[in-house]
Amino acid sequence: HEDADFRAMVNAGIRKAVGAIRHELERQLGEPPAAGGDLHFNTQAGEMALKLLALVKGGEDPRDPLLAKAYTDLRSRRIEGTYSLACAILAIEALYTPPSEAQELREGRLKAPIPRQLSAADRAVVAEWTKTLLGNVDDRVDEKALRRWFYGPGSDFDNSNTQYALLGLFAAQLCGIEVPAAIWQASAAHWLRVRIAAGESGIPKLTSHADLEKDPKGGKTRATGTKVLAYGWSYKADGEVTGSMTCAGISGLTLSSAALKALKKSSFKLQAEIDETLRGALLWLQRNVSVRRNPGPPHAWSSWHFYYLYGLERGCELNQIALLGDTDWYFDGAMEL
């Protein structure tokens, strides 16, 4: 995936996409704010945030007049929905992310993301969004024991909203907003509770970015210990295992673990269970990885295809995985896109 011609194709694709997103963002800024809240499908603010996040990650200057205007608009919005809140927090956090951080993490020169230094105004906005996000949980369970999220406050949850909530909360913690350790412990407990045994035990073969840098042929693999049972996740607690939701579980558990380590609040017992479950989930993903379909039951192969590709990227990048077995997921995924 470092081949020069391939990188040129990727960069050309990114520039083309940036142009399309800029056009959509300009059109959206001309629309009046939608009436009512955004708890379910009125995601106007969330879509704006997602566009801004993609543009900044795609190399656009946040000081560009179009982006600056959209960020000012976003900061003024009343946002309530879990997806929208998470995307909005991520969009603000992206403004303060060091440009070289991702590469330094891949090369092993950084062990964890660097805390963000927000302006007082942005910190206040992110703090308010975080407060709202923390309330969008399933009220049927004891929040101290289990934390799981839905579109807004209510008596339900799904693992997709839960993944996004944790992406937003981790970004908020990086931005200096207090997210108590108990929340991360309860979110980890949720993922552990709803994991689904999904295949025979085995040892995942995972090659990190740093290892691949040392050995471009990918012969050196991360030491992954003894055999583990394969695990996956479904949209709810007891559905069919899919690639998109297994990637959500990998990201959710990884973020919970990383946040607890940053707070120095991770117990040995909990961390051991998280690590074993993550290895089991990565084993399932290694066995089932595909970029042409969302892995899982055949009737779901064409469902949430691009959401799955996003989840595959997040799950692997958060764990610094370059190769799943012999699969270069980034090269294959980029070629599919």
Side-chain angles (χ1 to χ4, degrees):
H1 61 242
E2 292 299 333
D3 178 82
D5 290 336
F6 170 70
R7 296 306 312 183
M9 291 170 63
V10 167
N11 290 335
I14 290 172
R15 299 319 305 164
K16 185 177 179 182
V18 160
I21 296 170
R22 286 183 63 97
H23 176 75
E24 285 297 306
L25 184 62
E26 191 168 17
R27 179 190 59 76
Q28 185 179 7
L29 282 172
E31 297 176 347
D38 70 339
L39 294 182
H40 289 271
F41 300 110
N42 175 10
T43 57
Q44 192 180 58
E47 289 177 20
M48 180 182 291
L50 190 57
K51 289 166 189 167
L52 286 168
L53 177 63
L55 288 172
V56 172
K57 295 296 183 181
E60 292 292 275
D61 187 344
R63 296 169 296 182
D64 175 277
L66 176 63
L67 273 69
K69 182 179 179 182
Y71 264 109
T72 298
D73 186 307
L74 182 67
R75 290 179 176 103
S76 70
R77 297 274 182 146
R78 177 181 171 223
I79 310 178
E80 300 174 290
T82 297
Y83 287 118
S84 297
L85 287 162
C87 288
I89 295 169
L90 286 163
I92 298 294
E93 186 247 332
L95 294 175
Y96 297 89
T97 303
S100 64
E101 183 180 85
Q103 188 62 32
E104 290 184 64
L105 285 166
R106 290 188 190 105
E107 294 172 356
R109 289 184 283 132
L110 278 178
K111 297 301 181 186
I114 299 166
R116 316 310 189 205
Q117 303 298 321
L118 272 63
S119 68
D122 276 348
R123 195 176 189 282
V125 169
V126 172
E128 187 62 31
W129 287 341
T130 302
K131 181 180 177 181
T132 305
L133 182 57
L134 286 171
N136 286 358
V137 292
D138 184 353
D139 61 14
R140 299 171 301 175
V141 294
D142 181 358
E143 292 180 10
K144 295 179 181 177
L146 291 175
R147 278 263 179 167
R148 53 201 198 184
W149 279 259
F150 200 47
Y151 290 93
S155 301
D156 205 350
F157 84 96
D158 65 66
N159 284 329
S160 179
N161 270 295
T162 300
Q163 172 194 205
Y164 262 81
L166 297 177
L167 285 163
L169 291 177
F170 191 82
Q173 182 165 297
L174 280 177
C175 291
I177 308 303
E178 182 182 1
V179 181
I183 290 171
W184 297 110
Q185 291 163 349
S187 69
H190 160 73
W191 291 110
L192 294 172
R193 174 173 289 195
V194 299
R195 67 188 178 185
I196 300 170
E200 296 180 1
S201 61
I203 300 176
K205 180 184 176 185
L206 310 169
T207 305
S208 70
H209 291 293
D211 287 341
L212 198 60
E213 189 81 15
K214 299 171 188 173
D215 179 11
K217 294 184 178 180
K220 184 176 180 182
T221 60
R222 183 192 302 177
T224 54
T226 57
K227 285 186 176 182
V228 290
L229 189 65
Y231 287 110
W233 283 272
S234 64
Y235 181 64
K236 295 283 190 176
D238 55 0
E240 295 178 292
V241 170
T242 64
S244 56
M245 288 298 96
T246 296
C247 290
I250 289 170
S251 293
L253 264 186
T254 302
L255 291 164
S256 299
S257 173
L260 287 169
K261 287 177 181 177
L263 295 170
K264 297 182 171 55
K265 296 289 186 179
S266 183
S267 71
F268 178 81
K269 181 180 178 182
L270 177 60
Q271 194 59 56
E273 191 171 8
I274 289 173
D275 289 346
E276 181 172 339
T277 301
L278 279 174
R279 289 176 56 234
L282 289 165
L283 174 64
W284 186 92
L285 192 58
Q286 176 194 318
R287 287 171 172 170
N288 294 278
V289 65
S290 169
V291 299
R292 298 176 66 186
R293 61 180 174 86
N294 181 9
H299 66 79
W301 285 352
S302 61
S303 299
W304 310 110
H305 181 200
F306 298 109
Y307 178 51
Y308 156 67
L309 289 179
Y310 167 80
L312 176 64
E313 186 272 346
R314 280 295 76 198
C316 287
E317 279 298 282
L318 289 172
N319 286 282
Q320 294 302 304
I321 294 168
L323 301 177
L324 284 164
D326 296 323
T327 300
D328 184 340
W329 61 266
Y330 180 83
F331 179 86
D332 290 356
M335 290 304 297
E336 174 72 2
L337 291 170

